[in-house]
Amino acid sequence: MRLNVIQLFINSSIMMSSLFIPIFASELHATGTQIGIIGACYGLALFLSTYIFSRAADNYPPKMLLYIGFVSSSITFFIQMFAYDPVSLAILRALAGFSIGIYPAVLLLYVYNLKRSIGKFSSFMPLGWALGNLMAGVIAVYSEIFTIASLLFAASFLITLTLPATRAGTKKKTNFFSVELLKKNWYIYFPFFLRQIGANAVWLIFPLYLASLHANKFWIGIIYMLNPGLQFFIMRRLDRYDNKFLIHAGDLLSAAAFIALIPLTIFYQAVPGLALIAFSYSFLYVGSTNELIKNNEEKGAAAGLLNSSIALASIIGSLTGGIVLQYFGFRGVMATGALFALIGYAVMLLADRSHIP
C-alpha cells in the first residue's frame, strides 16, 4: 500500500508540474522550436539519469536510491517557479528530469520482489497523472503548482523512511552500457521507442492545441485527466493477456487515437481520441514491462532501459513536435504521432516474422 501511495504522489507531482510547461514557455516568449528544445533538455536529463540508475538498481541498496531521488526531486521541482526566460526554464527542467530518473527501476524491483502485480502497481502511475492534471487545472498558478509538486516528493521521502530495508537485485557485475540487454530485447525497446517519439511530439504541444480550441487552464486539466484516469482501471486488468498481443494492439490504437485528434474544432472533441490513447498506452506499458521482467535476469536494468527509451524518445519527440508545430501547425503534429505509431507496429510485425522469442 505504501508503495502505491508513493507511486500516486510522485506521478501526481510530475504531471501537475509538466502540464502547463508549454504554456509557461510561450508566456516567456519561447517559439515553437524553443518549446521543443525545452522539452528535449528535460528528456535528455531524464534519459541519462534513468539509464545510470537503472543499472545501479541491481547493485546498490534500493532505499538509498529512493532517498536521493525523492529529496533531489523535491528541491528541483520547487525551483522551477523561478524560471524567467526560455533558457532558465530549459535548465531547471533538465534538473527536474535528472532527479526523477533516479528511482523508477527501484520501485519496479520492490514490486517484483514482493511478488505483486506489475499491472496493478503500474495503474497508480496514470492515477497519479490524472490527479496531477486535475490539481494543476484547478490551481492554475505556476508558483503554487510547483510548491505542491515539491511537497508531494517530500511526502514520498517520508513514507520511504517507513519501508523495510531490502537488498540490491542481482549483485552481478555487468558492463555499464549493456549491449547484450539491448540486443536481446530490441524487439520491445525499439517499437516502444518509435511510438513514444510520436506521442511526445503530440504531448509537447497538446496544451497549446487545446488552448487554441478555446479551452482555459481548468478545462485543459480536466481533458488531460481523462486519459490517465482510464489507464488506472485498464492497467489493473491486463496481466492475464499475452504480452505481444498487448504491444501490437497498443501501437494500432495509438495510431488511431492520434488520427482522431486531427479534425478537432473545439476542445471537448478530443475526448474520444484521449480514451483511445488510454487503452493504447496501458496495453503498451504493461505488455512491454511484463515481457522484459519475465525474460531477463537483470530485471531492474531491463525494465529501467524501457524508461530510458521513453526518456530518449522525449528528446527526439519534443524537438520534432516543436519544429513540426512551427512549420506545419497542430494537425501536422497529430499526423506525425500517428506515423511513428504505425512504424512501431511494422517493426514489431517484422520481429514476429523473424521468430523473436
Side-chain angles (χ1 to χ4, degrees):
M1 182 63 184
R2 285 171 291 181
L3 288 170
N4 291 339
V5 172
I6 290 173
Q7 178 86 311
L8 180 70
F9 280 4
I10 60 180
N11 284 287
S12 296
S13 179
I14 291 170
M15 191 54 68
M16 70 185 299
S17 172
S18 300
L19 178 59
F20 295 130
I21 290 297
I23 297 176
F24 188 21
S26 180
E27 292 174 359
L28 295 175
H29 309 294
T31 65
T33 300
Q34 287 175 327
I35 291 172
I37 292 172
I38 291 167
C41 289
Y42 174 84
L44 176 60
L46 179 59
F47 167 71
L48 293 173
S49 182
T50 52
Y51 192 89
I52 292 168
F53 290 100
S54 67
R55 306 299 295 174
D58 284 315
N59 294 284
Y60 292 93
K63 288 187 72 173
M64 179 185 74
L65 297 178
L66 293 178
Y67 292 154
I68 295 170
F70 295 152
V71 170
S72 62
S73 296
S74 182
I75 295 169
T76 57
F77 272 59
F78 179 75
I79 63 176
Q80 289 178 102
M81 72 174 72
F82 299 112
Y84 57 88
D85 63 10
V87 174
S88 62
L89 182 58
I91 293 170
L92 293 174
R93 288 297 289 166
L95 292 174
F98 191 87
S99 296
I100 65 171
I102 295 172
Y103 56 77
V106 181
L107 286 175
L108 278 174
L109 280 178
Y110 254 106
V111 175
Y112 179 81
N113 290 335
L114 292 173
K115 302 187 185 305
R116 295 180 183 173
S117 165
I118 294 293
K120 288 182 179 178
F121 173 72
S122 297
S123 71
F124 282 87
M125 175 174 60
L127 183 62
W129 296 345
L131 179 61
N133 286 327
L134 177 61
M135 292 171 66
V138 171
I139 297 168
V141 177
Y142 299 128
S143 60
E144 295 179 12
I145 288 171
F146 293 135
T147 299
I148 294 174
S150 173
L151 291 174
L152 288 173
F153 272 113
S156 298
F157 168 75
L158 294 176
I159 295 171
T160 304
L161 293 174
T162 70
L163 293 175
T166 59
R167 295 180 179 179
T170 61
K171 292 286 184 181
K172 290 182 64 177
K173 287 189 177 181
T174 56
N175 293 328
F176 185 76
F177 293 99
S178 180
V179 176
E180 291 77 15
L181 270 178
L182 290 172
K183 283 183 176 179
K184 179 181 178 182
N185 302 291
W186 75 269
Y187 69 100
I188 299 295
Y189 295 131
F190 192 51
F192 195 99
F193 169 70
L194 290 170
R195 186 269 183 190
Q196 287 303 107
I197 290 176
N200 277 285
V202 170
W203 294 130
L204 175 78
I205 61 88
F206 202 62
L208 293 170
Y209 187 28
L210 291 176
S212 74
L213 297 171
H214 312 296
N216 59 27
K217 288 180 180 177
F218 172 77
W219 281 111
I220 290 173
I222 295 295
I223 293 291
Y224 256 79
M225 184 181 69
L226 173 65
N227 167 30
L230 286 173
Q231 286 183 37
F232 171 73
F233 296 102
I234 298 167
M235 283 186 177
R236 298 169 67 84
R237 292 164 172 79
L238 297 182
D239 285 327
R240 73 186 78 170
Y241 295 102
D242 177 74
N243 294 326
K244 288 189 179 179
F245 165 77
L246 292 176
I247 296 169
H248 283 304
D251 281 325
L252 285 177
L253 287 174
S254 294
F258 296 138
I259 291 171
L261 296 175
I262 292 175
L264 307 186
T265 57
I266 193 165
F267 67 89
Y268 56 75
Q269 294 173 344
V271 170
L274 291 177
L276 283 175
I277 290 174
F279 280 94
S280 71
Y281 189 76
S282 298
F283 288 1
L284 276 169
Y285 187 82
V286 173
S288 298
T289 302
N290 276 334
E291 184 78 1
L292 289 167
I293 289 179
K294 181 181 74 173
N295 293 327
N296 292 276
E297 183 180 355
E298 294 174 271
K299 300 180 187 302
L305 280 172
L306 187 69
N307 290 319
S308 293
S309 74
I310 295 172
L312 182 59
S314 74
I315 303 170
I316 302 172
S318 295
L319 288 172
T320 301
I323 293 170
V324 172
L325 170 64
Q326 188 158 337
Y327 293 100
F328 300 98
F330 294 115
R331 290 173 176 82
V333 179
M334 303 302 123
T336 300
L339 176 63
F340 275 98
L342 288 173
I343 295 173
Y345 176 72
V347 170
M348 193 68 184
L349 278 182
L350 178 63
D352 283 349
R353 291 184 180 181
S354 300
H355 305 291
I356 300 294

